[in-house]
Amino acid sequence: MISKVCSIELPVGEHLVIYRNRIVCENSTGREGRIAIVSGIHGDELEGQYVCYEMIRRLKEHPEHLKGIVDIYPQLNPLGIDMANRNVPKLEMDMNRIFPGSSQGAVMERVAAAVVNDIAGADICLDIHASDTYVREIPQVRISSEFGQKLLPFAKLLNTDMIWLNASATVHESTLAHSLNMLGVPALVVEMGLGMRVNRVYGDQVVDGIFHLMHEMGLWTGPVIAVREPAVSTDGEVEFIRAQHAGIFLPEISHQHFVQQGEKIGEIVEALTGTVKQEIRAKKAGIVFTLREYPFVYEGALLARILSNTVEGRKF
């Protein structure tokens, strides 16, 4: 059943509307468990649109296997998605920096408060993101170490390639996931792919994981796949590789490639003089889980991230 979470009139005479699609099991008793799946907080991250579509398609195909409630919120920032803008257009506001919001606040604060209020009480929430338009990410779950002990068992069920435990100091307290965790709703951030794109292979991988999670929670009785075992990291086990010069980045490895210590990752070249400005090599051995796709770089631009606590031959 599709319903409005909130509808707010805008100065231009239009309405900002957030929709929810609630799918309820047959013969509901009102005591079923509930999972919330949200996406579209950032308008240039579209991977979650496919995840929401595929979740609904599979649930409609076999409604007899559903034993709970699935709430799907595909577009929390519909204006941003309409304009392919990461932030809320005109306001230039990052929606994921205003949670939990306020029912008495400005427009987007009221929207954020309505979303949190609607999700409150769920047994778990998955916030689906993509990377930006510059770098590609393998499917991963990102959780704050503050809630790591509680969330890690759920994260391991989601069929992602890795789990990134972030130090609490690096986690923004005004995100949807943090706000929900503070309210007692286990909330995990799933990130994958590339901004402005849809990778169906990654999307299917995550959807398979969501159904596996639902099966373990007693919300789904249909067949599920055996999920892969993710690598689990901390901030200290991730090497960030950044550009030291402006120019064109030419990678010499593929995404998800296992690099040896000292192996060449790529180089930054200058088109005007035909010279190599920087040769990039890995300081540690590990899996390249982030790799830059957009070739032009400035000094300090992120080129790659390497997960160094894994072993060669690990299947991703």
Side-chain angles (χ1 to χ4, degrees), residues 8 98 100-117:
I8 296 179
I98 59 175
S102 169
S103 59
Q104 305 300 318
V107 171
M108 293 312 299
E109 290 179 310
R110 283 182 280 152
V111 170
V115 169
V116 170
N117 183 65

Side-chain angles (χ1 to χ4, degrees), residues 62-300:
H62 292 288
E64 71 277 10
H65 294 313
L66 180 61
K67 302 303 177 184
I69 299 171
V70 181
D71 282 340
I72 296 181
Y73 308 75
Q75 300 182 7
L76 292 193
N77 179 10
L79 300 179
I81 290 178
D82 286 347
M83 300 184 66
N85 190 324
R86 178 179 178 82
N87 296 328
V88 179
K90 300 300 182 181
L91 300 177
E92 290 307 317
M93 178 185 297
D94 186 340
M95 188 176 182
N96 213 24
R97 296 294 181 270
I98 59 175
F99 289 99
S102 169
S103 59
Q104 305 300 318
V107 171
M108 293 312 299
E109 290 179 310
R110 283 182 280 152
V111 170
V115 169
V116 170
N117 183 65
D118 204 71
I119 297 174
D123 294 286
I124 193 166
C125 178
L126 305 178
D127 183 11
I128 312 295
H129 287 259
S131 184
D132 58 29
T133 57
Y134 298 99
V135 297
R136 183 186 298 275
E137 301 279 359
I138 65 174
Q140 59 197 266
V141 180
R142 296 184 178 183
I143 55 181
S144 166
S145 58
E146 180 180 355
F147 305 105
Q149 185 175 359
K150 179 180 181 181
L151 299 180
L152 195 56
F154 295 116
K156 289 181 177 180
L157 300 173
L158 283 172
N159 199 38
T160 58
D161 296 317
M162 65 172 287
I163 299 170
W164 192 355
L165 283 160
N166 294 289
S168 298
T170 67
V171 175
H172 290 279
E173 295 183 355
S174 50
T175 63
L176 173 63
H178 188 273
S179 298
L180 290 173
N181 278 307
M182 291 298 292
L183 291 174
V185 177
L188 301 92
V189 175
V190 179
E191 184 158 337
M192 60 182 162
L194 185 68
M196 303 291 286
R197 300 291 186 272
V198 170
N199 185 320
R200 292 181 67 174
V201 174
Y202 285 171
D204 287 335
Q205 177 182 333
V206 169
V207 170
D208 287 340
I210 296 174
F211 276 98
H212 182 84
L213 171 65
M214 289 171 57
H215 187 273
E216 293 296 310
M217 295 176 65
L219 303 178
W220 180 255
T221 59
V224 294
I225 68 164
V227 298
R228 62 195 71 196
E229 181 182 354
V232 181
S233 86
T234 66
D235 286 328
E237 295 165 329
V238 173
E239 178 187 356
F240 288 73
I241 298 178
R242 299 186 181 275
Q244 297 176 4
H245 300 273
I248 303 298
F249 173 58
L250 302 176
E252 295 192 11
I253 58 170
S254 59
H255 198 212
Q256 297 181 257
H257 175 75
F258 185 93
V259 294
Q260 301 290 347
Q261 184 177 8
E263 183 176 346
K264 188 175 180 180
I265 293 174
E267 55 191 18
I268 296 175
V269 302
E270 185 178 74
L272 179 63
T273 61
T275 57
V276 175
K277 303 296 291 184
Q278 180 186 353
E279 187 178 81
I280 302 105
R281 294 186 179 273
K283 295 181 180 179
K284 299 179 180 180
I287 290 290
V288 178
F289 72 91
T290 303
L291 185 64
R292 190 173 185 88
E293 289 274 335
Y294 188 72
F296 191 80
V297 297
Y298 290 101
E299 182 179 352

Side-chain angles (χ1 to χ4, degrees), residues 297-308:
V297 297
Y298 290 101
E299 182 179 352
L302 179 65
L303 303 179
R305 294 189 188 101
I306 297 176
L307 177 60
S308 61

